[in-house]
Amino acid sequence: MSETIQNTNAMIDISLKMGTNIKDIVDYCKKLLEEKKANSLKISAVGQPIQKLVTVVEVLKILYPGLNQLNTFGTVAFVRQQFGNKSKVEKNDLFKGKIFPRMEVILSTNPLDDQKEGYQEKYSEVERKNFLDILLANQKKGDQPKSPQKRRRY
């Protein structure tokens, strides 16, 4: 995932897929925000990875104060031809399609249009500190070794 950013005002596109690891994306975004001094990230997902997108965005907003958020929702339709001649569309051809939800989030240190639908302002410092405490407590809880489970003997 190495890239050189020429213009720090340019928006960087990140697309999440099914196999995307949340920690890897958070680390990549941290690298872009800290090392590459990026001002704006556009993170998008289609279908099930939307839940990963929401998690990534919330973690980034907790870790980096001053990130404004603009959400865009939509759908994507995938259509494919079922039967018939592949070279041209005929009247009797069947088409099969699915519609998937799509979410796109813009995170920016620059002000965003607060009149647009989907705008969320940055967290207040008190909110951010509370969320950060919860995040760190959960990380510590996850770092503790689990007690070995007793095997059932029959």
Side-chain angles (χ1 to χ4, degrees):
M1 282 197 227
S2 63
E3 66 181 72
T4 306
I5 299 171
Q6 305 295 337
N7 182 1
T8 57
N9 292 328
M11 190 162 318
I12 300 165
D13 290 327
I14 301 170
S15 180
L16 302 184
K17 307 286 187 228
M18 282 294 292
T20 304
N21 186 342
I22 293 174
K23 185 180 182 318
D24 292 342
I25 292 297
V26 170
D27 290 343
Y28 180 62
C29 291
K30 285 167 63 173
K31 178 182 171 185
L32 291 173
L33 291 169
E34 291 172 2
E35 296 175 16
K36 308 286 186 179
K37 304 294 184 208
N39 291 337
S40 298
L41 301 174
K42 180 164 61 170
I43 309 171
S44 61
V46 174
Q48 289 181 345
I50 288 176
Q51 52 196 327
K52 293 180 182 186
L53 169 66
V54 171
T55 303
V56 167
V57 167
E58 292 303 322
V59 168
L60 289 173
K61 283 183 68 174
I62 292 168
L63 294 177
Y64 294 97
L67 283 179
N68 295 300
Q69 179 179 349
L70 184 63
N71 303 319
T72 309
F73 300 95
T75 57
V76 176
F78 292 100
V79 180
R80 65 185 172 112
Q81 186 176 358
Q82 278 298 102
F83 303 104
N85 188 352
K86 301 284 184 196
S87 61
K88 65 177 188 172
V89 177
E90 296 176 3
K91 219 178 198 182
N92 297 334
D93 288 348
L94 295 176
F95 291 91
K96 188 173 185 175
K98 288 187 178 183
I99 296 177
F100 295 96
R102 177 175 178 26
M103 183 176 180
E104 191 173 89
V105 177
I106 297 173
L107 290 176
S108 179
T109 56
N110 301 329
L112 297 171
D113 186 3
D114 60 353
Q115 299 303 313
K116 281 192 172 179
E117 190 174 331
Y119 174 78
Q120 290 183 8
E121 62 185 20
K122 55 190 170 190
Y123 286 140
S124 70
E125 196 55 33
V126 174
E127 284 178 318
R128 197 181 77 77
K129 292 268 187 209
N130 289 338
F131 288 140
L132 188 59
D133 291 342
I134 293 168
L135 183 68
L136 294 175
N138 285 337
Q139 283 180 347
K140 286 180 185 175
K141 202 184 291 182
D143 290 343
Q144 295 173 354
K146 295 180 181 176
S147 61
Q149 294 189 1
K150 296 179 181 177
R151 295 182 74 185
R152 291 185 182 179
R153 296 181 185 212
Y154 297 101

